[in-house]
Amino acid sequence: MIKNGSYLLKKLNKIKFSILLVLISFLFGCKSVPQKTYVEPLNLLDNESTFYVAIPKSVDPELVKKIITTNVQDISEKDAELIASRIEKIYCGINKSKKGIELQGSIKANIPTSYVPKVFNKRNGWNEGVVSGSTEEFKYYSNDSINIAFPSSNIVCIGRGMQYMLNTYDVLSNEISAEGDVIKNKSELPDELYNYLLNANNEIRFYANKPQSFLSLLTGANLNLKLVDVSGAFIVDPSHENQYLLQLNFDFKNEKYLRAGKGLLALAFGLANGQTEILGNTKLIVKDIKINKNQLYKILTIGA
């Protein structure tokens, strides 16, 4: 009886020792998953677009949904609403040519990774592609009209330059960031433009370095203005829920063009003197232009 008890005790001790070895090997032998550095979505846009826009969802949720339904072919109303509800801010670069509209978007969002394959699959008309990064592969999804990718749960990449955006994300997400580095400009955009778009919180901000086509859309007239660039903001009119107040900042090539341009703009927008302000020799600010929301939707939904 004592002999059997001793045998059982030795057996139990061996089992305890084996369990202890397993725990030690698990705790010290397994590599932890490396933490990715936060990447500000604006850092993924390149400098090859002629028009840039930052759209906070809080300013106009309906516009965000329209951008999704216009640019993501055959997406259902339900899926568009679900994606739109998880978007915080859209950053876009846009080019317009005879071939049509080219869009590059980097979107700040909160999209569960488990949701992606349920929508972006072959049954819904999407084909899968891969971009190889330094430490992992990034999937993207294509249909006949556009590419889309989800490199992290808080970023959606859409449109042209997909390989560039995913490779840039790969590099930035594996950097060891210094304290206070989170919103540092690591994009190809000039600092002034980067900060202008990044700080769009209560308004829709835009910038055009080839502004003629944008002004034609806005005014319906072919204005012959000698401009370097145009920037501005759409601000919700507190007095009219279906209307925006538009501010435009014009930078002319010289003082002579500014004075001629001011007259043309006064005719195009029906401006009073109190709505314009001249800064220096080349800059003209135009304030409080009333624009219907549907007109803005036509301009900013890209493919509408």
Side-chain angles (χ1 to χ4, degrees), residues 8-25:
L8 288 172
L9 187 62
K10 285 180 181 179
K11 189 87 172 173
L12 185 60
N13 286 335
K14 281 184 178 180
I15 291 170
K16 287 180 178 177
F17 183 68
S18 297
I19 292 171
L20 183 62
L21 283 176
V22 170
L23 287 172
I24 290 171
S25 65

Side-chain angles (χ1 to χ4, degrees), residues 43-55:
N43 284 321
L44 304 187
L45 293 189
D46 63 30
N47 62 355
E48 296 179 15
S49 295
T50 58
F51 183 85
Y52 292 90
V53 61
I55 307 171

Side-chain angles (χ1 to χ4, degrees), residues 66-113:
K66 283 180 179 293
I67 289 173
I68 294 168
T69 54
T70 301
N71 290 282
V72 181
Q73 186 178 352
D74 297 329
I75 192 167
S76 70
E77 189 81 7
K78 181 181 176 183
D79 287 333
E81 284 180 0
L82 180 59
I83 292 174
S85 71
R86 291 182 169 274
I87 285 174
E88 185 177 331
K89 188 185 283 188
I90 295 176
Y91 298 107
C92 278
I94 301 162
N95 284 321
K96 186 178 181 182
S97 67
K98 292 179 181 178
K99 295 179 181 178
I101 298 291
E102 272 191 339
L103 165 74
Q104 181 186 54
S106 184
I107 301 169
K108 191 172 189 176
N110 178 20
I111 309 291
T113 52

